[in-house]
Amino acid sequence: MSLLKPGHRGCAGCCDALAGKFVLDALGEDCIVVSPTGCLEVFTTPYPESAWGVPWIHSLFENAAAVASGVEAAFKAMGKMNNTKIIAIGGDGATMDIGLQAISGAFERGHDFTYICVDNEAYMNTGIQRSSGTPMYASTTTSPAGKVSFGNPLNKKNMPAIIAAHGSPYVATASVAYAPDMIRKVKKAAQIKGPTYVHVHAPCCTGWKFEGSKTIEVGRLAVETALWPLYEMENSEITGVRKIKNRKPVEEYLKAQGRFKHLFTMEGGAEEIKKIQATADWNVKHFGLD
Amino acid sequence: MRKRMVVVEGSYAVAHAVKVCKPNVISAYPITPQTHIVEDLSQFAADGEMNCEYMNVESEFSAISALIGASAAGARTYTSTTSQGLALMHEALFNASGMRLPIVMTVVNRALSAPINIWNDQQDSISQRDTGWIQLYAEDVQESADMTPQLYKIAEDEDILLPAMACMDGFILSHVYEPVILLEQSLTDEFLPDYTPEFVLDPKNPMSFGAFADPSTYTEFRYKQEKAMGVALKRIEEVALEFSEKYGRYYGGLLDGYMLEDAEIVIMAMGSVIGTIKDTIDMLRKEGENVGLLKVRSFRPFPADEIRKALKNAKVVITLDKNISVGKNEGALCTEVKACMYNNRDVLAPVIGFMLGHGGRDIPVSTIVKMINKAKLVEKGIFIESEFADLREDLA
């Protein structure tokens, strides 16, 4: 059985539950998991129950990296480190917005831990509000499409680049839709000494508005359209890229989700879709995806 | 046994006390006037005198957050901060207490901005009153240092498991050079047992910390924190006596009285102003005034029963507050002392609150005499609820 036990309260088709399961599949029992506040934290630990088959701690929304660094320091100080892996798993809001300072501090200090961002591109736990992980033109409850708006007007923050700039020995992107690839990267990140980072694309059926049975399909479309490039960076250099065969136009990804449907009904939507296609094209060129 | 006294800075005495308590993890961020404590601890670590991880974090928020992780992993933990830094920790203070992590922190009391001011008052720690931390206030440098092992012993008690603040007045205690006895390692090893918590993050025995509690369970977590504070009320007294037996020094447990037994006018206060009040009492007693002091050492837990007992002979009570609840025109000690006298028949003395010493304004003997003289007017029926005792009339 998975170390993330059944019976938790995740939605059917939940990307966070998949991510949590894959992370524990990669790590095994000898780890300690730190979760900031978010869906994964709430639906796995309704007191007095817990879905975690490994030691787990949730403190606050913005401090998971600091808490993880304290766990690591304690294990070092008490000579308990051995092979135990210290892992933080946070959502895009906890990682890219409110927790960014604590993450920067922990990476700069060089703690031996792995931070995993499970990026479902909005504040899902509070009801699908925009975060800095929300992609351009996604409609969220605080960046809704409307008569004079195509939704979120801003580009997604490039978090892996920020972490790479801290000199992290290993930064990778992954997707819950590519489980073996994700598990391999989490394992590698945990085994490399120092602060490492895996940024996982995680389609949220509730927030992105698609059927719960399509989580993997939507995740694959993000990769196949080059909107979510899969790559690895070691010491700030790109060392591995997943090439795309038969790249699909971004419309296929956008059409699969309710959060982009206004782009296909509003006047001028087609022009805006071209901007999203330009982002995909840039990714192909920058990461050499063809 | 004669003890060797040395003249050191207050911060050094505290840092040394922390060192002999052997914390596993220290995490801190510099802020005046706390800096000397963490500088001294850094030096101990750099000189190999401490077997601990010293973390230079990027904010007070991460300082306390790192200790939450470290404490949950089973480490004895320490930090120190003040003022803005303590305010920045606010959210995490509730969290540390709610997860029952016995972190010990020295709060070097300082005023809060705006206007920005680096000098002493107690608005910072008083503003964290409801976070579920034990709060003791020290009178002098020796007590500030001695409080450290006492608080570890209290906080780590398996029937308490609450974090604790040792509050010492900024500059007045942190930067003063006084003759003190540095805590002996051997005595401290005997006094303070190793920290061996039952509940820790351990892959061999996985547990979940910080779960989500809905309305059907949340209340009981708060109730149990309150029960633990009740246990702390007893342990603070016991540990003060245990400390006295081991080291030969005693400052009171929850409270301490000075010329209290026959005093008709009783002054209540916390922190370094106690010394000035004692001097004032000595002076006034010579003039035949029946004045006494009730030092409040423990503000959380608040010793309401003990205060009522201590005040049973008082004709009038004066409270001193280096803080204000703006909009209530009172400091916290005034409000709480009054509250603990309501609903009982043993003490009916009027309470007059004075707010003073804010932002580092000095409290001379003359200010204390002025307050006592006002208290005497109360005996004649003129009632003052609460007021600033040291306003500058040209600015007010």
Side-chain angles (χ1 to χ4, degrees), chain A residues 27 55 89 98 101 119-121 145 168 186 192 200 217 262-263:
Chain A
L27 298 171
I89 310 177
I98 199 166
Q101 176 180 318
D119 180 4
N120 57 22
E121 303 191 325
S168 167
V186 170
I192 290 174
V200 180
E217 199 174 299
H262 55 281
L263 293 176

Side-chain angles (χ1 to χ4, degrees), chain B residues 179-340:
Chain B
V180 293
I181 295 160
L182 296 174
L183 284 166
E184 298 85 345
Q185 186 67 66
S186 55
L187 288 183
T188 309
D189 288 344
E190 289 166 21
F191 173 76
L192 180 64
D194 287 344
Y195 178 46
T196 52
E198 186 181 351
F199 307 111
V200 291
L201 294 168
D202 177 7
K204 291 188 191 73
N205 181 21
M207 294 184 196
S208 293
F209 280 65
F212 166 78
D214 71 14
S216 70
T217 56
Y218 183 87
T219 305
E220 287 68 28
F221 282 91
R222 281 284 171 274
Y223 171 76
K224 285 177 182 175
Q225 276 175 288
E226 184 56 43
K227 291 285 277 186
M229 278 286 184
V231 178
L233 271 177
K234 292 195 194 85
R235 274 308 273 157
I236 290 167
E237 289 282 3
E238 290 165 4
V239 167
L241 291 171
E242 288 164 24
F243 187 90
S244 169
E245 279 165 29
K246 180 69 66 186
Y247 297 84
R249 297 188 292 276
Y250 181 74
Y251 313 89
L254 298 161
L255 304 166
D256 198 24
Y258 183 74
M259 304 277 179
L260 184 65
E261 284 305 307
D262 64 337
E264 294 184 350
I265 301 173
V266 176
I267 306 174
M268 294 182 69
M270 307 194 292
S272 62
V273 73
I274 296 292
T276 315
I277 297 169
K278 284 178 177 170
D279 281 354
T280 311
I281 289 172
D282 289 346
M283 189 184 85
L284 293 177
R285 283 270 172 176
K286 279 181 196 151
E287 295 166 15
E289 305 263 14
N290 256 355
V291 188
L293 165 75
L294 182 59
K295 160 179 155 176
V296 178
R297 189 161 178 267
S298 174
F299 187 64
R300 282 291 177 277
F302 192 72
D305 275 345
E306 293 76 5
I307 287 173
R308 283 192 288 265
K309 279 178 202 145
L311 293 179
K312 64 182 189 299
N313 297 327
K315 296 276 188 297
V316 57
V317 178
I318 300 170
T319 57
L320 269 55
D321 273 294
K322 290 184 177 180
N323 69 91
I324 177 172
S325 175
V326 177
K328 182 74 169 77
N329 194 33
E330 280 178 8
L333 187 61
C334 174
T335 304
E336 302 219 357
V337 168
K338 282 199 293 189
C340 83

Side-chain angles (χ1 to χ4, degrees), chain A residues 29-32 41-42 45-63 66-78 80 84 101-103 105-106 108-109 111, chain B residues 24-25 51-53 55-59 61-62 65-76 91-92 95 99 101 200-214 216-217 221 224:
Chain A
E29 290 178 353
D30 196 6
C31 68
I32 289 170
E41 168 263 320
V42 170
T45 62
Y47 179 84
E49 296 168 34
S50 173
W52 295 91
V54 297
W56 176 90
I57 181 169
H58 157 249
S59 172
L60 298 166
F61 200 4
E62 67 275 48
N63 70 356
V67 172
S69 68
V71 172
E72 185 251 21
F75 269 58
K76 266 188 4 201
M78 297 187 293
K80 298 203 294 193
T84 304
Q101 176 180 318
I103 291 170
E108 177 264 323
R109 291 192 298 275
H111 295 279
Chain B
N24 305 107
V25 178
N51 181 25
C52 85
E53 285 290 313
M55 296 173 69
N56 276 307
V57 287
E58 85 296 339
S59 70
F61 191 81
S62 280
S65 296
L67 296 191
I68 286 170
S71 186
R76 178 171 286 164
E91 184 192 11
N95 194 251
M99 279 204 270
L101 301 171
V200 291
L201 294 168
D202 177 7
K204 291 188 191 73
N205 181 21
M207 294 184 196
S208 293
F209 280 65
F212 166 78
D214 71 14
S216 70
T217 56
F221 282 91
K224 285 177 182 175

Side-chain angles (χ1 to χ4, degrees), chain A residues 9-211:
Chain A
R9 316 295 201 258
C11 301
C14 173
C15 55
D16 274 10
L18 283 175
K21 178 185 178 310
F22 296 157
V23 168
L24 295 190
D25 285 351
L27 298 171
E29 290 178 353
D30 196 6
C31 68
I32 289 170
V33 173
V34 182
S35 289
T37 309
C39 277
L40 184 64
E41 168 263 320
V42 170
F43 75 65
T44 55
T45 62
Y47 179 84
E49 296 168 34
S50 173
W52 295 91
V54 297
W56 176 90
I57 181 169
H58 157 249
S59 172
L60 298 166
F61 200 4
E62 67 275 48
N63 70 356
V67 172
S69 68
V71 172
E72 185 251 21
F75 269 58
K76 266 188 4 201
M78 297 187 293
K80 298 203 294 193
M81 200 63 176
N82 303 321
N83 284 315
T84 304
K85 307 298 180 196
I86 316 286
I87 309 293
I89 310 177
D92 45 295
T95 304
M96 300 159 77
D97 287 344
I98 199 166
L100 185 60
Q101 176 180 318
I103 291 170
S104 177
F107 274 77
E108 177 264 323
R109 291 192 298 275
H111 295 279
D112 189 10
F113 84 121
T114 298
Y115 193 102
I116 295 162
C117 175
V118 180
D119 180 4
N120 57 22
E121 303 191 325
Y123 290 92
M124 300 313 183
N125 191 41
T126 42
I128 321 164
Q129 292 85 15
R130 184 210 166 270
S131 78
S132 63
T134 304
M136 186 177 271
Y137 299 145
S139 182
T140 73
T141 55
T142 53
S143 65
K147 284 173 189 162
V148 296
S149 171
F150 286 104
N152 177 42
L154 303 169
N155 275 314
K156 189 179 177 73
K157 188 188 279 184
N158 188 350
M159 189 67 191
I162 293 170
I163 298 295
H166 284 72
S168 167
Y170 183 75
V171 173
T173 60
S175 165
V176 294
Y178 294 82
D181 179 72
M182 176 179 162
I183 290 168
R184 178 183 67 82
K185 286 170 176 169
V186 170
K187 249 186 201 159
K188 188 169 173 184
Q191 275 158 7
I192 290 174
K193 213 168 158 47
T196 55
Y197 182 78
V198 182
H199 195 117
V200 180
H201 196 239
C204 167
C205 52
T206 310
W208 298 10
K209 307 206 182 326
F210 59 81
E211 285 295 321

